[in-house]
Amino acid sequence: MVFFSISEYYERLIKTKHRMANEGIEVLLVTDPANMNYLSGYDAWSFYVHQLLVIFIDEDQPYWIGRGQDASAAFHTSWLEADHVYPYTDDYIQSSEKHPMEFVSDFIKAKKYDKKKIAAEFDAYYFTAKNFMKLKENLPHAVFKDGTNLVNWIRIIKSDQEIECIKIASKIAEGAMQAAFDSIDAGVRQSDAAAAIAHAQIRGTDDFGGDYPAIVPLLPTGDRTSACHLTWTDELFRQGDPVIIELSGCYKRYHSPLARTIFLGMPDENIQYIADVVVEGINITLDAIRPGISCEEVEAVWRRVIEKSGIKKDSRLGYSMGLNYPPDWGEHTASLRAGDHTILRENMTFHMIPGIWLDHMGVEISESFRVTDKGCEVLADFPRELLVKPNIRLA
């Protein structure tokens, strides 16, 4: 039941092994659920317990190790053969007596790799300090290396089928943003608007159902728009409120984020000015993007545009995105910021989000884009402006 062809998974695995060989890694422990999905197809809400793929450099398939009751999900969603699925018993779950990494260590010993060079994703969300302690304790003769983002950097260039998934996610994002605009109004509860957005995200389009995104809808309102990562409350929207909406469509775990700012009523000159500057910066920066330039150069174009406005942005302009699970849809590789020398290549995908957050208000207007052979392709089609409600164009 895997979504991609077996040949594509093999190609991904071969690229992973090449990177392992280049870095002197003989065993790679993959705990990032997005990387597990990328290499095996495995897809389940099971990342709250310890699970991983074990990749031996001289074997043609990874091994899935996870909770016993999740083994069936590995059979249903991955391309791995039955003898490459190794479940552990439930007495390992949240136990003070046993730990899943003891099971993993025993497996590595049985494969006679306990004296090899073993890498783990040290900075992945789901690799804990206890994981490392148990591995070190039970594999005392192994040499441990940092494998953080090894697979992520392979993921940064998408296949054509991955791009199609992201484009479908973009259509879902458009529908979710329209649901946000339709539902947000003075006197409406923020939670009701969030529910409308979530319904649109999961319903998807008439042709494609949506998946749960890695981040819930972000909905800071009023003076809370100065804090970009707030969600909704059960308070009512009020006339004169700015409302930031940051959301994503998601299809087959592939994301296409989108942010807009709505103003309920007539915006004051300050917020309109900031929005106009942001839009100008986005337009000029998108026009400058092409394969062969660096992330640093992209950010420099943006900075030159806004410097003359008197507005400053200290945070990064954007980041690579695509396949992921909670709590983040970013890939943790390239960032559009000064000092990042990553060269843009065709079929890289980014979320460019030049948010401006001041002491008492903020504005977010973003676009996700794909690097093409000559420039870039903006993925979603939604008015790139401060959205004022009522707005005849979006009614």
Side-chain angles (χ1 to χ4, degrees):
M1 291 181 63
V2 290
F3 183 70
F4 297 96
S5 67
I6 302 300
S7 62
E8 182 158 339
Y9 286 111
Y10 268 117
E11 184 178 349
R12 297 170 181 182
L13 185 60
I14 289 168
K15 290 178 180 177
T16 300
K17 289 182 178 180
H18 283 164
R19 289 187 68 93
M20 289 170 62
N22 289 339
E23 298 183 26
I25 296 167
E26 296 166 288
V27 185
L28 178 63
L29 308 182
V30 178
T31 53
D32 183 324
N35 292 338
M36 291 180 65
N37 177 299
Y38 183 75
L39 294 172
S40 74
Y42 181 74
D43 181 23
W45 191 284
S46 56
F47 40 83
Y48 65 96
V49 296
H50 293 300
Q51 58 181 23
L52 71 161
L53 291 182
V54 182
I55 299 173
F56 296 108
I57 198 162
D58 59 355
E59 293 208 25
D60 63 353
Q61 288 186 34
Y63 290 85
W64 177 93
I65 297 178
R67 189 179 187 180
Q69 62 184 248
D70 295 317
S72 181
F75 294 132
H76 279 293
T77 64
S78 83
W79 63 277
L80 303 179
E81 295 174 1
D83 61 354
H84 282 67
V85 175
Y86 273 73
Y88 56 78
T89 54
D90 222 58
D91 55 346
Y92 281 93
I93 298 298
Q94 298 167 5
S95 168
S96 59
E97 305 297 325
K98 307 173 74 171
H99 193 277
M101 287 303 148
E102 295 170 350
F103 183 91
V104 173
S105 300
D106 290 342
F107 173 73
I108 292 173
K109 289 176 184 176
K111 299 289 286 184
K112 302 193 182 304
Y113 269 84
D114 52 306
K115 297 179 182 179
K116 303 291 187 178
K117 295 174 182 176
I118 301 173
E121 297 172 317
F122 288 170
D123 203 27
Y125 292 124
Y126 298 100
F127 186 83
T128 67
K130 190 71 170 281
N131 282 3
F132 188 51
M133 289 172 60
K134 287 298 181 182
L135 287 169
K136 289 274 287 184
E137 178 183 322
N138 290 283
L139 298 170
H141 303 296
V143 175
F144 285 95
K145 298 174 71 71
D146 187 358
T148 302
N149 290 342
L150 184 150
V151 180
N152 303 56
W153 279 105
I154 297 168
R155 286 167 42 201
I156 195 170
I157 298 178
K158 279 64 175 181
S159 68
D160 290 343
Q161 194 173 1
E162 288 181 290
I163 293 297
E164 286 306 309
C165 289
I166 294 173
K167 287 184 176 181
I168 292 169
S170 300
K171 293 299 180 186
I172 295 171
E174 293 170 11
M177 190 60 74
Q178 186 66 54
F181 183 82
D182 292 343
S183 59
I184 292 172
D185 213 340
V188 174
R189 289 193 309 173
Q190 295 177 26
S191 52
D192 288 331
I197 295 168
H199 178 272
Q201 288 174 308
I202 295 171
R203 181 191 178 277
T205 70
D206 290 341
D207 297 318
F208 301 99
D211 209 339
Y212 62 89
I215 303 175
V216 299
L218 301 178
L219 208 68
T221 299
D223 60 6
R224 291 161 62 93
T225 54
S226 62
C228 58
H229 293 139
L230 296 179
T231 59
W232 59 89
T233 72
D234 61 357
E235 297 173 3
L236 303 180
F237 295 111
R238 300 172 301 177
Q239 192 73 7
D241 273 346
V243 184
I244 287 175
I245 309 102
E246 185 178 350
L247 53 80
S248 181
C250 184
Y251 181 71
K252 302 297 183 184
R253 305 302 327 140
Y254 286 84
H255 293 75
S256 183
L258 185 66
R260 291 292 185 268
T261 301
I262 295 176
F263 199 90
L264 301 178
M266 288 300 295
D268 60 43
E269 291 183 1
N270 187 39
I271 194 170
Q272 185 64 65
Y273 175 71
I274 293 172
D276 290 343
V277 169
V278 168
V279 170
E280 180 187 14
I282 293 173
N283 292 341
I284 293 174
T285 305
L286 287 171
D287 287 343
I289 291 170
R290 63 187 185 281
I293 69 170
S294 68
C295 289
E296 179 178 63
E297 290 174 298
V298 173
E299 191 276 340
V301 173
W302 154 262
R303 191 159 19 91
R304 284 195 295 270
V305 173
I306 66 166
E307 276 179 350
K308 59 186 180 184
S309 71
I311 297 172
K312 292 184 179 181
K313 176 177 170 61
D314 297 325
S315 56
R316 63 183 178 174
L317 178 65
Y319 47 82
S320 64
M321 59 78 192
L323 169 69
N324 229 321
Y325 287 79
D328 187 16
W329 53 52
E331 288 182 325
H332 298 187
T333 51
S335 290
L336 304 177
R337 63 181 169 198
D340 192 321
H341 305 295
T342 304
I343 299 299
L344 269 58
R345 296 172 60 187
E346 185 177 359
N347 276 6
M348 287 184 176
T349 52
F350 287 85
H351 182 209
M352 183 167 67
I353 179 164
I356 303 296
W357 302 284
L358 306 178
D359 289 341
H360 301 294
M361 55 82 69
V363 173
E364 288 185 31
I365 300 171
S366 80
E367 298 289 1
S368 290
F369 66 87
R370 172 179 78 96
V371 180
T372 66
D373 59 341
K374 295 180 180 178
C376 78
E377 174 187 10
V378 176
L379 293 168
D381 181 11
F382 206 86
R384 191 183 303 156
E385 60 190 25
L386 178 67
L387 303 176
V388 177
K389 194 159 186 182
N391 184 325
I392 296 173
R393 189 144 68 98
L394 284 172

